Amino acid sequence: MKMMMMRGSSPRGSSMAHNHWTGISSHPPFSDLSDINNNKCLPGQSLSSSTKINSKPKTLPREHIDRYKRGDTHPVSALYQLSQVLQFQLDMKETVTTAGITGFYFAFCAVIDGVQYKTGMGITKKEARAKAAGLALEELIASLENDGIPSDVSAGPPPLPVREKDSTIPEVYSGRAVIERKNPIKDQVPNVVMEMFTKLMDSYPEFSGCGGTVAAFVMLSPAGCEVVALGTGSSNTKSSPAPTGRILHDSHAVVTARRSLMRFLYRNLLLFFSKNSALEEKSVFQQDQTTKLLSLKNHFTLHLYLSQLPKGAAQIPSQLRLNPLSISAWEVNNQIGLHAVVEGKVFSKFSSSYEQMGSHVVSMSGTDKIMQWQVLGFQGALLSHFIEPVYVSSIFIGNGSCSDTRGMEMAVNQRVDGITSALPLYYCVYRPHISLVSSAVPPDAHPSQKSLSLNWSHGDLLVEVVNALDGKSTEDSPFKSSPALASRLCKAAMLSRFNLVAKEAQREELLTAVTYREAKMMAKPYQEAKSVLKSYLERKGYGQWVEKPPISDHFSM
């Protein structure tokens, strides 16, 4: 897997009233992590056949560490020496400057077994590499001295260290889970999604028919895996755009889940800005004292589960990926270019059928949206006023009929290769690890209610069911926000949450925005990144990104 070129700091019910806004319920978002947040453990020690050596150390490499601490060994040399002794894979990668640094600087970071360490900067490449190696050594040596080397290392790579032998709590190092091999994250994610999905369906069996396509966001923390947002659905609305902000135009599972994730993020922002230390501790956010923006806490990572490949270029036929020279350039563009969805049907932006759709409401395909979110962040424009871009570290496809993920890799990662250097601070191409996993959807889940979409996020007492064709809650939805049946995922609801958070955060300048569109356009770095992305895709020949008519954003609260 190619690593991302990261900008910014390295890893570090029935009403919409009290519970809906604060998420304060009998289950806090995550358990108290104060006793384990600062524990560190050795990065994953899996080895390729080319780097595996027969004799492995049984003691801490004290001699190498002492020589480095005395200044007898250059940081880069010391890091490479430890990589040989401890048998981890090391790569010194050039990246981009962080934390608002201006001027001409070089930047490097150490990548150890796929884990990216803090960025080092200097006026020369040599200086930047040395600083990056020093930052990595600082964390690595502290980890070794605190936790030591597993003693039983004679038969193959040792088991990944855990906090205590009998503990089932996974520890996290620099944004990646370090857990027992018998329970890797690719097993944990579908398991917790299935558990949550089954729980929701058991609670609302009358809506089990709208679970044919499922997407979920899972947060991995030192306390374990937890589903924080879930959505189902496979269609978009027939309603025309209107200046009300109260219609959901796209109710595909991944879009529904992502908007549910945004509600989860708003809820955690309210916890952070609550001026209550106990509530603030429960938030998933921490603050960068330099930029004052928030980011996910150091040991928290986000992962996306999809019950099937999203619509669009991810579903490229195998022959296009395996033998592209055997087909026409037009056919290649038709498949790997941008795709639009109209009333649930997918059209290539290059097809004549798409050009005949006229005034129908058009949405970009799920694949294209995931690609966009992995550049701009899943938080969207409004939330970017408060937080750094939020990316997913892994995408898991739980579809037994899917044989490979190469189409997804091409559509999400390769189409935006080379764009990072043109993006503003904090934005990047974050390349997620994409893999196939077991299905989280019970085999008896029959999609008999295809026009319905279900949504839920952590802290919700009730699920909401939306009729995708009209973009509103159904009459029998367990959760209804108002008699008008506007969904809690609609733009108006998001603007209301935005205003509430801006008030709690004492961001008076944000409260001057009159309309939803104005609040979005005030997020200048986000809008710049979005403009760069759209121009890049068009220049590369993938087609033109479809925007909703501006009228749909010209509303106020």
Side-chain angles (χ1 to χ4, degrees):
M1 182 184 87
K2 292 183 180 179
M3 288 302 297
M4 65 169 183
M5 289 298 193
M6 186 65 181
R7 290 181 179 262
S9 302
S10 65
R12 336 180 253 275
S14 61
S15 70
M16 298 177 74
H18 182 69
N19 280 337
H20 178 66
W21 292 112
T22 66
I24 303 170
S25 66
S26 57
H27 325 321
F30 293 93
S31 59
D32 185 359
L33 307 177
S34 58
D35 61 330
I36 56 178
N37 258 358
N38 295 320
N39 287 310
K40 304 248 177 137
C41 52
L42 191 65
Q45 300 168 7
S46 59
L47 302 170
S48 68
S49 58
S50 60
T51 59
K52 186 174 180 179
I53 55 180
N54 296 326
S55 177
K56 296 188 177 181
K58 295 188 178 182
T59 60
L60 191 70
R62 175 55 61 191
E63 181 183 352
H64 295 282
I65 293 173
D66 288 344
R67 282 206 304 265
Y68 166 69
K69 287 185 173 181
R70 290 195 305 266
D72 296 339
T73 309
H74 188 274
V76 176
S77 298
L79 190 56
Y80 273 102
Q81 287 172 6
L82 284 181
S83 74
Q84 294 173 3
V85 173
L86 299 178
Q87 301 182 356
F88 57 72
Q89 294 173 316
L90 171 64
D91 189 14
M92 298 298 295
K93 290 203 170 189
E94 188 168 7
T95 180
V96 291
T97 56
T98 63
I101 299 296
T102 57
F104 188 74
Y105 284 87
F106 292 98
F108 276 82
C109 67
V111 181
I112 297 176
D113 276 352
V115 176
Q116 181 171 306
Y117 283 67
K118 293 178 181 176
T119 299
M121 288 172 282
I123 58 175
T124 65
K125 288 189 176 184
K126 183 177 180 180
E127 180 184 355
R129 282 167 61 90
K131 289 186 177 181
L135 290 169
L137 283 166
E138 182 181 333
E139 292 192 47
L140 186 59
I141 291 173
S143 168
L144 292 171
E145 292 179 336
N146 288 341
D147 297 330
I149 302 292
S151 58
D152 183 14
V153 294
S154 58
L160 296 174
V162 293
R163 191 168 175 235
E164 294 178 4
K165 278 190 176 180
D166 298 329
S167 174
T168 57
I169 299 176
E171 294 195 26
V172 179
Y173 189 87
S174 297
R176 188 180 73 173
V178 181
I179 55 180
E180 293 179 284
R181 287 185 172 189
K182 65 181 181 182
N183 194 20
I185 186 173
K186 69 180 298 183
D187 292 336
Q188 290 190 73
V189 167
N191 287 344
V192 295
V193 173
M194 175 175 279
E195 182 181 344
M196 177 54 67
F197 180 77
T198 302
K199 180 180 178 181
L200 293 175
M201 292 299 98
D202 287 347
S203 300
Y204 306 100
E206 66 272 31
F207 297 113
S208 60
C210 60
T213 305
V214 179
F217 288 91
V218 174
M219 189 77 79
L220 179 65
S221 76
C225 270
E226 188 164 16
V227 178
V228 297
L230 185 146
T232 74
S234 58
S235 190
N236 50 356
T237 183
K238 293 182 177 180
S239 301
S240 300
T244 65
R246 289 164 172 80
I247 299 294
L248 280 184
H249 294 294
D250 192 339
S251 294
H252 286 84
V254 68
V255 178
T256 300
R258 183 253 182 170
R259 295 187 74 82
S260 298
L261 172 69
M262 293 164 72
R263 294 182 61 243
F264 171 77
L265 297 176
Y266 275 118
R267 190 174 276 136
N268 278 268
L269 283 174
L270 290 172
L271 290 173
F272 185 89
F273 293 121
S274 64
K275 302 179 180 65
N276 180 311
S277 58
L279 294 180
E280 183 180 340
E281 179 66 25
K282 293 176 181 178
S283 174
V284 300
F285 291 116
Q286 64 184 7
Q287 190 168 42
D288 185 305
Q289 293 306 312
T290 302
T291 67
K292 300 304 179 183
L293 286 175
L294 305 187
S295 63
L296 294 180
K297 288 179 177 176
N298 288 346
H299 301 323
F300 288 64
T301 55
L302 193 64
H303 307 265
L304 173 61
Y305 170 85
L306 302 170
S307 67
Q308 60 185 44
L309 287 171
K311 293 178 179 178
Q315 300 180 1
I316 299 169
S318 298
Q319 66 270 21
L320 279 180
R321 301 194 297 276
L322 297 175
N323 192 15
L325 297 179
S326 66
I327 53 181
S328 67
W330 177 88
E331 189 174 357
V332 172
N333 283 340
N334 203 45
Q335 297 290 346
I336 69 173
L338 299 177
H339 287 71
V341 181
V342 182
E343 296 181 9
K345 298 177 181 179
V346 186
F347 299 89
S348 166
K349 287 299 304 298
F350 298 99
S351 73
S352 57
S353 298
Y354 167 73
E355 296 172 356
Q356 298 169 7
M357 296 316 295
S359 61
H360 288 73
V361 174
V362 178
S363 299
M364 295 305 296
S365 71
T367 301
D368 296 330
K369 289 188 173 184
I370 293 173
M371 174 196 67
Q372 178 193 43
W373 297 330
Q374 283 299 114
V375 175
L376 306 182
F378 283 74
Q379 78 292 329
L382 296 187
L383 279 164
S384 67
H385 284 291
F386 310 103
I387 63 178
E388 294 179 12
V390 174
Y391 301 104
V392 299
S393 300
S394 311
I395 299 177
F396 299 108
I397 313 296
N399 185 348
S401 63
C402 181
S403 59
D404 65 69
T405 62
R406 284 174 291 179
M408 190 77 171
E409 292 275 2
M410 179 181 290
V412 173
N413 294 334
Q414 295 179 24
R415 290 193 299 181
V416 287
D417 268 347
I419 194 177
T420 297
S421 61
L423 294 170
L425 192 64
Y426 299 121
Y427 294 90
C428 67
V429 177
Y430 197 125
R431 295 179 175 85
H433 179 69
I434 303 173
S435 58
L436 300 175
V437 295
S438 58
S439 176
V441 180
D444 57 348
H446 302 296
S448 58
Q449 298 164 297
K450 293 184 179 181
S451 64
L452 298 185
S453 169
L454 177 149
N455 69 78
W456 173 91
S457 70
H458 197 289
D460 287 342
L461 300 178
L462 302 168
V463 300
E464 180 184 57
V465 178
V466 171
N467 184 336
L469 299 182
D470 64 19
K472 296 182 178 182
S473 302
T474 62
E475 291 282 356
D476 55 352
S477 172
F479 175 89
K480 290 189 287 289
S481 60
S482 69
L485 300 178
S487 170
R488 61 188 177 189
L489 302 185
C490 70
K491 292 179 178 180
M494 295 298 176
L495 181 59
S496 181
R497 295 184 187 94
F498 168 78
N499 288 333
L500 183 58
V501 171
K503 183 177 180 180
E504 292 296 311
Q506 299 181 339
R507 296 284 301 275
E508 299 298 327
E509 79 280 9
L510 299 179
L511 296 172
T512 63
V514 176
T515 65
Y516 178 82
R517 180 173 178 79
E518 188 177 348
K520 286 173 58 177
M521 298 309 294
M522 287 171 67
K524 296 190 182 301
Y526 181 91
Q527 296 300 337
E528 180 186 346
K530 186 176 182 179
S531 178
V532 168
L533 174 62
K534 290 193 294 184
S535 298
Y536 184 86
L537 292 170
E538 191 167 1
R539 188 169 69 251
K540 288 290 185 177
Y542 294 123
Q544 192 172 41
W545 194 273
V546 176
E547 296 287 352
K548 295 286 192 308
I551 189 175
S552 63
D553 287 352
H554 287 296
F555 66 90
S556 57
M557 298 305 298

